[in-house]
């Protein structure tokens, strides 16, 4: 099987559930941004110093594949992302928060390659959340996807802080 199919040459793409839609639709834009988040996290995983952070990032990357599947589907009776996924993100955030000193000032992005990549993932997650919210105003979107994207930006922030603490 070839990588190129030529089915998208006229500006449409196929959803996971079989429908064909325009490539510039809100839905395609939403899951495209989640793909960007996943790539930014892949970069962060390579550059992070802490193995615990790398493990968390890898777990989140796998979850983001399910987020994209939910966003690339219409008229589904069930979704991939559930409250359990959101709870897992919250557990990661809480565990990191318990290990870090209280935040007393704004953090300028950068400081280390891993932290900078996580900052990029955080801002991309915020953009992805905004796009998914925009989509949800016009079409059905799994509510847990919206919540997960919100928690993801928080998690990226905490992972970035943990990377910076590693380098001090």
């Amino acid at each position: 099987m070839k990588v190129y199919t030529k089915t998208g040459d006229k500006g449409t793409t196929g959803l996971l559930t079989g429908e064909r839609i325009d490539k510039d639709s809100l839905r395609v834009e939403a899951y495209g941004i989640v793909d960007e988040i996943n790539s930014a996290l892949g970069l962060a995983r390579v550059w992070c110093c802490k193995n615990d952070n790398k493990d968390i990032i890898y777990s989140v990357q796998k979850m983001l594949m399910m987020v994209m599947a939910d966003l690339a589907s219409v008229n589904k009776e069930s979704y991939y992302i559930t409250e359990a996924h959101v709870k897992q993100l919250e557990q990661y955030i809480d565990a990191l928060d318990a290990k870090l000193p209280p935040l007393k000032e704004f953090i300028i992005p950068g400081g280390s390659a891993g932290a900078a990549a996580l900052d990029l993932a955080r801002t991309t997650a915020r953009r992805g959340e905004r796009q998914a919210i925009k989509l949800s105003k016009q079409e059905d979107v799994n509510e847990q996807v919206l919540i997960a994207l919100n928690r993801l930006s928080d998690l990226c922030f905490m992972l970035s802080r943990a990377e910076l603490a590693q380098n001090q």
Side-chain angles (χ1 to χ4, degrees), residues 13-22 25-28 30-31 66-80 135-136 138-142:
T13 191
L15 294 179
L16 189 62
T17 46
E19 299 84 359
R20 292 208 61 83
I21 63 171
D22 291 337
S25 74
L26 292 176
R27 184 168 296 280
V28 174
Y31 70 73
M66 293 186 288
V67 169
M68 285 188 286
D70 274 348
L71 289 170
S73 303
V74 293
N75 302 321
K76 283 184 63 178
E77 293 182 20
S78 63
Y79 292 112
Y80 296 106
L135 172 63
S136 74
Q138 295 184 14
E139 300 181 42
D140 288 337
V141 173
N142 177 0

Side-chain angles (χ1 to χ4, degrees), residues 24 32 40 68 79 84 89 92 100 117 140 152 160:
D24 64 350
M68 285 188 286
Y79 292 112
L89 293 172
Y92 289 146
L100 293 168
D140 288 337
L152 179 57
S160 177

Side-chain angles (χ1 to χ4, degrees), residues 20-153:
R20 292 208 61 83
I21 63 171
D22 291 337
K23 288 183 177 182
D24 64 350
S25 74
L26 292 176
R27 184 168 296 280
V28 174
E29 184 69 21
Y31 70 73
I33 295 170
V34 174
D35 195 20
E36 291 176 39
I37 299 165
N38 209 344
S39 293
L41 285 172
L43 188 62
R45 188 163 45 91
V46 168
W47 283 345
C48 281
C49 298
K50 295 182 60 134
N51 285 331
D52 289 349
N53 288 355
K54 290 180 181 199
D55 292 342
I56 291 170
I57 292 168
Y58 185 72
S59 173
V60 170
Q61 286 183 281
K62 292 192 295 186
M63 183 201 73
L64 287 177
M65 301 304 284
M66 293 186 288
V67 169
M68 285 188 286
D70 274 348
L71 289 170
S73 303
V74 293
N75 302 321
K76 283 184 63 178
E77 293 182 20
S78 63
Y79 292 112
Y80 296 106
I81 297 299
T82 66
E83 286 183 42
H85 294 99
V86 172
K87 293 284 184 216
Q88 179 64 69
L89 293 172
E90 291 171 349
Q91 288 172 357
Y92 289 146
I93 293 166
D94 292 344
L96 289 163
D97 193 37
K99 295 177 186 175
L100 293 168
L103 189 60
K104 296 182 180 180
E105 59 189 21
F106 287 105
I107 298 173
I108 303 296
S112 75
L118 285 160
D119 285 325
L120 178 61
R122 174 185 55 81
T123 58
T124 308
R126 288 180 186 243
R127 183 164 49 93
E129 179 189 11
R130 290 190 303 270
Q131 187 66 27
I133 289 168
K134 190 184 295 185
L135 172 63
S136 74
K137 291 178 179 178
Q138 295 184 14
E139 300 181 42
D140 288 337
V141 173
N142 177 0
E143 180 182 6
Q144 296 306 312
V145 163
L146 301 176
I147 298 169
L149 289 171
N150 183 276
R151 296 299 181 280
L152 179 57
S153 63

